[in-house]
Every structure is written in C-alpha cells, then in structure tokens.
Amino acid sequence: MKPYYEEKGITIWCADCKEILPKLSDVSAVVTDPPYGLKFMGKDWDKGIPGVEFWRLILAACKPGAHLLAFGGTRTHHRLMCALEDAGWEIRDCLMWLYGTGFPKSMDVSSAIDKALEVGRVEIGRRSGRTGPAVQPNGGSVYSDDNYQWPGEFSITNPATEAAKQWYGWGTALKPAWEPIIMARKPIEETVARNVQKYGTGALNIDTSRIEYQGDDDKSSATCQGKCTSKPGALAGGTQHEVKRVDFERPKLKGR
C-alpha cells in the first residue's frame, strides 16, 4: 500500500487505521479526533465510540511514555476514557477546546406545549440566524456537528396558552461551547528519568507551552514576585519536625 502523500518528514495514509497501525512503530505522540458516537448527520461511522481494539493498536505502535490527545464529545467522553484505560493507556489529564460558535440544539419548551395542545401561535416578527439539521442539504440528526450550519430565518412568536407562558424561555440543552481532549500516556519503562533518556518520551515540555504574560500587571497578578519564603516540614517516624524558613528567588517564568 502506497502513502496518499509523502515528503521529507511527512507521510499521509488514507486507509483503514486497522490496516495501517500494525505497520507503524516508534510513534512518539498521537493527536486524534475520533467519532464521538453522536450519530453525526445520521452517518454510520459516528454511531459509537471507537472500542478498545483501536486504542490497543495505537498503543502497540507507540514508544513507552508516548502521549496521546483524543478529542471527545461532552456527553460521550466518559466512554472514550474507559476504552483508553481498558486498552492500557494511563489517563493523565483532560484539556478543553473552547469556542463561541456553537449552535444550541435545544427544544423550545413553550412552543412544544402550544403545539401539543394544538394551539397556533401568532407570528410577531422574523429573525435571521443559523439553522439546525432540519434544513441541512443532506438531512441530519438532532446531534449534527456545530460547524455544519446553514443560514436561515426564524419566526418570532408569543406563547398562546397559559401553560406555554409559564414555560417561556425554557429549553432542553445548553449551547455547545467546549469539547474535552483526553490526555493519556503509554506506561513508561521503569522511571521517567530513564524513559526520557532512552525513548525521548514520557514528559511534557511545560516551559515552551506557557502563555506569555501580556504585561507587568498580568505577571504580578499571576504569580508572587521577588523573594519567596518556605517553611518545610519533614516527617520522620510519624512526627513532623519544623525547620527554619528558607528564602529563595522565584524562577523567571515566561508565562502562565
């Protein structure tokens, strides 16, 4: 099988991952955006979370200590975490992708009540916005992805019944605004110190990933400055022994 694209340091495969992964080895890091199991636009490929077998194949292709970032859905990432753990990965943390463009897939409870009571509502205006799956060119499901929306117009109506007035402003879902990113690591060999020297994996370069301070005010609000003082204690035989305070210069940090 030939790569879809290849140049120095870059190889792109376009194939079933179950066929490609057994051919790979010495992978240092993985970033993946697997199906969320939300039945995106009614597609079969998104009917469930990738199971343990997929994550075991990735684990086998990686070096000890290799880190993995896997995007997930807010309602299904728990199944993703379980599959990763069951495959042998260590869950290390959970990051967040934040965005403000999410489209609320929420039912208007007030409108639903009037509809159930078969009472029509008077249109008092129109507004433009982003549409849900009902008017998408290829159909879709109520869980269609936030990035796949089409412009549309909507009616503005007032509640027609007392019950609808009571539930005006209520819905069934929050506006999507984040997606979890599971950070996992393949178990290291012996110790981190030995693993990073042998494989170059197992640790995170914290300093290079800091968000730079926006100015002196930002820096002073984020960390204490100048000399710090410490009063450590040592446990020996179950008894805590106090020692003298030690002054030290705070390290020069590049950012948060």
Side-chain angles (χ1 to χ4, degrees):
M1 182 182 298
K2 293 184 178 180
Y4 174 78
Y5 177 85
E6 190 172 20
E7 66 174 70
K8 186 177 180 180
I10 301 174
T11 303
I12 298 176
W13 298 92
C14 185
D16 189 328
C17 66
K18 291 186 290 186
E19 297 177 6
I20 297 298
L21 284 169
K23 301 177 182 179
L24 301 181
S25 61
D26 294 332
V27 175
S28 298
V30 178
V31 179
T32 179
D33 191 6
Y36 294 177
L38 299 175
K39 300 179 181 177
F40 166 65
M41 294 185 74
K43 302 298 183 180
D44 288 340
W45 57 262
D46 196 36
K47 63 183 179 182
I49 299 293
V52 174
E53 60 175 315
F54 293 93
W55 305 110
R56 281 179 178 161
L57 287 172
I58 298 175
L59 187 78
C62 290
K63 299 177 183 178
H67 279 87
L68 173 144
L69 296 179
F71 284 72
T74 54
R75 288 168 290 167
T76 56
H77 69 282
H78 58 293
R79 297 190 182 279
L80 173 60
M81 281 187 172
C82 289
L84 284 165
E85 276 194 322
D86 290 346
W89 290 91
E90 299 173 347
I91 303 299
R92 303 292 294 178
D93 214 324
C94 185
L95 313 180
M96 299 172 70
W97 173 40
L98 305 176
Y99 53 90
T101 57
F103 178 80
K105 304 169 185 68
S106 175
M107 174 186 288
D108 184 331
V109 177
S110 175
S111 180
I113 290 174
D114 278 342
K115 184 177 181 179
L117 295 174
E118 298 182 348
V119 177
R121 301 175 72 144
V122 178
E123 183 177 296
I124 61 174
R126 304 281 294 177
R127 67 180 178 86
S128 299
R130 307 298 286 179
T131 64
V135 297
Q136 292 179 4
N138 300 316
S141 73
V142 294
Y143 303 123
S144 293
D145 190 273
D146 304 318
N147 297 321
Y148 291 82
Q149 302 166 16
W150 284 262
E153 282 195 347
F154 302 87
S155 295
I156 301 176
T157 62
N158 280 333
T161 63
E162 288 301 319
K165 291 177 181 178
Q166 179 183 351
W167 291 97
Y168 184 73
W170 291 68
T172 57
L174 301 176
K175 176 181 178 178
W178 76 288
E179 290 183 12
I181 309 171
I182 313 307
M183 186 172 78
R185 186 178 71 179
K186 181 172 180 175
I188 61 172
E189 285 187 1
E190 299 182 11
T191 67
V192 171
R194 292 183 181 180
N195 200 98
V196 297
Q197 293 180 83
K198 182 177 181 179
Y199 297 104
T201 56
L204 303 171
N205 194 338
I206 304 299
D207 260 1
T208 59
S209 61
R210 293 186 186 278
I211 301 174
E212 291 188 9
Y213 295 124
Q214 300 301 303
D216 291 339
D217 289 343
D218 182 33
K219 184 176 181 180
S220 61
S221 67
T223 62
C224 51
Q225 303 300 310
K227 285 191 175 182
C228 298
T229 183
S230 173
K231 188 178 181 182
L235 292 177
T239 304
Q240 183 171 359
H241 301 276
E242 291 189 357
V243 296
K244 293 182 179 179
R245 289 186 177 275
V246 178
D247 288 340
F248 59 95
E249 293 291 340
R250 185 166 185 84
K252 302 295 184 181
L253 301 179
K254 300 176 181 179
R256 294 176 182 268

